[in-house]
Amino acid sequence: MNRDAFARELGVLVGDGNVQGVPVTAGEPPAWQVAPGSAAEVAEVVRRCNRDGVAVLPVGSGARPTRWKAVAERPRVHVAMRRMDHVVHLDETSLLVHVQAGLTGAGLEKVLVPRGLSLGDYPATMLGSTIGGMIAVRTPGKSSARHGFLEDAVLGVSAVLADGRSIHTRVAPRRATGPDLARALCGSEGTIGVITSVVLRIHLKAEARLLAAYVLPSFDAALAAAYLALREECQPAGLRVYDSAEARAHLGDELALAGPALDDDAALLLVATAGPTDLAVCDRDLVTSAVEAEGGAATDPRLADAWWKLRGGDPRQVPPPSLQVTATPSKLRAVYRAVRDAARDAGATARAHVSRFDAGGAVVFVTLVADGKPLDGARLDAVRATCEQAAGDAGGWLLGARPAQMDPYLAALRAELDPNGILNPGALS
Amino acid sequence: MPRAHVDPDRLRRELESLLGARRVSMRDGDLDTYARDMWPRLLLARRDGQLPEHRPHAVVWPETQRELVALVKLARSLAIPVIPYGGGSGVCGGVVPLRGGITIDLKRMQAIRSVSRDEMVVDVEAGLSGERFERELRRRGYTFGNFPSSIYCSTVGGWLATRAAGQLSTKYGKVEDRVAGLTVITGRGELIETDGPSRAVRGPNWTQLLVGSEGTLGIIAAARLRLSTAPQLEIFRGFEFDDVAAGTEAIRRVLQRGLRPAVVRLYDELDTFINSLGKKAATGDHAGAPITTGYGAPHDLSAAPVPMPGEGALPVLPRPEPPADDGVVSRLLAIARGRRRGLHKEAVGLALDHAKLVNRIAGTVARRGCRMVIGLEGARIRTEVEAALTFAELAHAGGRDTGEEAGWAWLAHRYAVSYRMSPTFRDGAFVDTMEVASTWERLMDLYHSVRDAISQHAVVMAHFSHAYAEGCSIYFTFAAHADDLAGSRRLYDTIWRDGLEAVTRVGGTISHHHGVGLLKGPYMAGEHREGMAVLHGLKQSLDPDNLMNPGKLGMAAAPTGVPRKEAS
């Protein structure tokens, strides 16, 4: 392959200004980053790469360092989606939005919010990512008790296959026309196709939003109260359970103002409800009843306000969690206890909150500390490994888990659609 | 279609060594029975006394997953197809063994293995009948929430294989919304489990790639399904709107405010009109006439017509969903046939032969508004609050409250019609239903386009049900008549072709919950276009020998891969 000629060809396809060489270490095959301006240009680039067996690696916002592996032996093209950040169609009648893959969640909200619309009650922390990236990579943080897993909001996907063909899964509320083909692309991490645009459900801005905070005698009681309310069909817009240590770390100032000191065993439950006013009130009252049934009581709502600000991206310093464990409802307590015990045995303290509740369970966010300071470096790695082991043994799912059983099937699917193996070759294998 | 070749004696020997002689059949009666489902096109031939065109080589009744694995491996070694078979209530020919093969009846695998209160999930085997499944769950205080009108004759596995929907789907969702994991024997003869919290696991969601695969990728042997607490409160109500547009707009507003009635059904003008005629007929002077009027006991299967020897009647005709709530089809035909029993067969023919005229006349007469049935159920407090908000929103959107009775009447009789379609076929006519869906933006286009397309050939009416925040499904019921089998088939195919082409033209989906089978196979390319490449990739991955229910979902029947052009 003639490098210069190839680079020139890429320039013809996407415009010279949108092709850059990517520095590589000596002896490595060349790499470029291209920024196509349309789905058609993506298709051209992929088709061209396929001809020479050049690897194609989609890049979202590029905000996070991407760890490529197993691709260093072949030339590669990083396809950056940053120029593809348009809202293609906003269907306010059906509450759907068709967006290009490079638009970030925050960028989309900027279009939606002035119109009284919203992507939904998803955690603000995920909104910095591109829509394509959020859909292509499945991680557990993208869930809301009211709107479910973000992937479930996907009604249609457009993508470019390895041979340059474009597919557009047809948009309908539901269908019974074989498997949901969009789901082959969601979570595929760029191995089945390069996602170029997505049709997403959106929501009317809630008519009312209520926040409430409760103190419960124990972490178990707080989880029990949460599930009691959910079983009464309460649909909170946000729900979080803090153990006392994590509550102090996240909401220390407000706790100091709020009066009674939190017992070490106690837990904090925070809830946001939203929707038509009557329903938001109903949902909040369901939580209140559940809390009372579990021996807890409402406390200063300023705690809830502080939590909501924090969730919305309050710049105050909260260290990122040391580990995240997803667990089904019955496993949450066991996972929490196992991690805490494992950390204690390793000479550290684990503090935690549980959040991202949905039908499949919730996520336990754990921060490991010693002497009042979050662990870091080699110590963190060592303690974290122990805690992860304990969490897995207790039935939790660690970030990035992958059932090996389906590997041969995924490999066969990829071989069928991408015989040259150009699409993100290092991923999911 | 090239029939797979296998030495029958060897096949019998091998099957019997796996299952024993009692759970293997190669008798003509069984092979005929398992040659079809409830696809009306097959029933037409049946009515004419024709034998099935495609029969399996053998029918088997396995009891364990190990036996299923062994059966798939055997089929691979003999290079003959495998067709999973549940209740046989499908209406698209999804189980027709185009190349013969082993039809696997799963109904002996029907255990509820566990119900978890903490997780709110049930582990259930695929062959369990829907009605028994729901009854067992209710006994324990739960509901799965799927109530197709075929619930008495369909299985949990069949629901999952076709992405079925029930009458209360607006609250509980379709089955694909309720499935947490599947146990599948793939076409490679391996048992896989797609369990685990989907959001925590990297890679594509295999559960959603297997739900709706109609047996073409593997056999769904068991599933983990999400449960809801059995409802503590049910609230039903009738409403009336000026026209379809006003009614659908009201539904849209309700759903988009985040309210989730369990069921909301809006009947178009013709459907509403015919229903009102039926009511008069039921209470009027000719209540004794042999037209369908009564509301049989909803859970009483004895209300189903029993085929009488010599009458040429079909057995009961269960369907996944009634064409309308209480025998509207029969009423439609009753109008056509007049009051004189002796002449009714001719009258049916006459009326249906002039479908365009009937549609137009009926459309003119029927400007009397549209009927809506709406119901909410669930936890006591929240359901009450939601009902108040929902009814207020409907009133605000121009709905007139017609009282509780209308709603309860629907609930009480919602399964009845499924078993009342035989007379239609007996009279030489045929009835079928087309369930399509689109986003709200395109819904009225979809309604008018499909209605216009079908009404060239058949009497047609519709209702809107299965609503979502982003769109809704439309359920068309059509009745038509031709003089002989060849003519009936031609007419039947034309109606479907024109109807589904209209759907694709306006950007709807060709099936909301009945599935594809043979019926809609030819339209799959129009539905998915280049996306079919992904479906073929899945097929190649999970069933490399093309032995799992070949020729369905618009894929080739023969391993060498000449795409099938026409439904047989």
Side-chain angles (χ1 to χ4, degrees), chain A residues 93-94 138 165 174-179 189 201 207 233 283 328 330 362 397 401 403 405 409 416, chain B residues 119 171 174 177 186 190-191 198-199 201-203 252 256-257 382 441 470 511 527-528 530 540-541:
Chain A
T93 308
S94 316
R138 297 166 91 206
R165 273 185 295 178
R174 290 292 187 287
R175 51 166 30 87
T177 56
E189 304 191 11
R201 285 191 190 93
E207 292 157 43
E233 305 193 350
D283 281 344
T328 57
S330 69
W397 295 70
Q405 196 182 25
Y409 293 96
E416 184 67 17
Chain B
E119 306 276 345
K171 176 184 175 75
K174 290 181 66 195
D177 300 317
T186 68
E190 294 169 350
L191 187 145
S198 59
R199 70 225 186 113
V201 176
R202 283 172 67 201
R252 184 177 75 89
Q256 294 188 345
R257 275 192 89 187
R382 206 175 195 278
E441 196 180 42
E470 65 273 15
S511 178
E527 172 94 359
H528 294 295
E530 300 293 329
Q540 197 61 35
S541 165

Side-chain angles (χ1 to χ4, degrees), chain B residues 58-77:
Chain B
V59 182
V60 296
W61 290 267
E63 289 175 349
T64 64
Q65 292 178 6
R66 195 177 307 169
E67 288 176 353
L68 281 179
V69 170
L71 284 168
V72 173
K73 285 187 171 153
L74 173 66
R76 278 195 93 179
S77 72

Side-chain angles (χ1 to χ4, degrees), chain B residues 354-391:
Chain B
H354 296 85
K356 258 191 273 190
L357 191 65
V358 172
N359 282 315
R360 200 171 330 131
I361 294 169
T364 316
V365 181
R367 304 228 175 276
R368 300 186 179 188
C370 296
R371 189 166 70 94
M372 177 192 281
V373 171
I374 186 158
L376 295 95
E377 67 168 46
R380 189 173 303 281
I381 300 168
R382 206 175 195 278
T383 302
E384 263 182 42
V385 175
E386 269 195 271
L389 287 165
T390 301
F391 297 154

Side-chain angles (χ1 to χ4, degrees), chain B residues 399-545:
Chain B
R400 293 176 292 279
D401 192 333
T402 57
E404 287 186 28
E405 195 43 49
W408 288 113
W410 171 80
L411 185 72
H413 310 297
R414 59 196 170 129
Y415 300 128
V417 75
S418 300
Y419 303 94
R420 289 194 179 130
M421 298 183 83
S422 305
T424 313
F425 280 76
R426 204 157 50 213
D427 291 347
F430 61 82
V431 182
D432 203 352
T433 56
M434 189 181 290
E435 24 66 63
V436 298
S438 77
T439 57
W440 290 114
E441 196 180 42
R442 295 170 177 190
L443 195 68
M444 282 299 110
D445 271 355
L446 181 68
Y447 172 67
H448 291 296
S449 310
V450 176
R451 196 173 174 279
D452 289 353
I454 300 179
S455 65
Q456 303 299 314
H457 316 288
V459 177
V460 57
M461 59 197 177
H463 67 258
F464 298 74
S465 49
H466 311 288
Y468 306 87
E470 65 273 15
C472 192
S473 89
I474 313 178
Y475 201 90
F476 292 96
T477 301
F478 56 86
H481 170 268
D483 291 332
D484 55 13
L485 177 60
S488 292
R489 279 184 170 169
R490 229 177 1 255
L491 182 57
Y492 182 85
D493 293 344
T494 306
I495 293 170
W496 275 100
R497 186 197 63 210
D498 291 0
L500 293 185
E501 282 178 1
V503 173
T504 304
R505 213 160 40 235
V506 299
T509 180
I510 57 171
S511 178
H512 174 266
H513 62 269
H514 285 178
V516 177
L518 282 180
L519 168 61
K520 294 162 204 166
Y523 310 96
M524 280 287 276
E527 172 94 359
H528 294 295
R529 299 173 195 240
E530 300 293 329
M532 285 300 280
V534 178
L535 182 57
H536 285 124
L538 286 169
K539 178 78 173 168
Q540 197 61 35
S541 165
L542 286 136
D543 177 27
D545 302 339

Side-chain angles (χ1 to χ4, degrees), chain A residues 25-68:
Chain A
T25 49
E28 251 187 16
W32 297 269
Q33 181 166 98
V34 302
S38 68
E41 288 185 8
V42 174
E44 290 299 321
V45 168
V46 172
R47 191 175 289 128
R48 181 65 194 83
C49 290
N50 190 40
R51 212 185 322 149
D52 280 346
V54 174
V56 173
L57 316 171
V59 179
S61 60
R64 273 179 218 144
T66 317
R67 284 185 295 258
W68 310 117

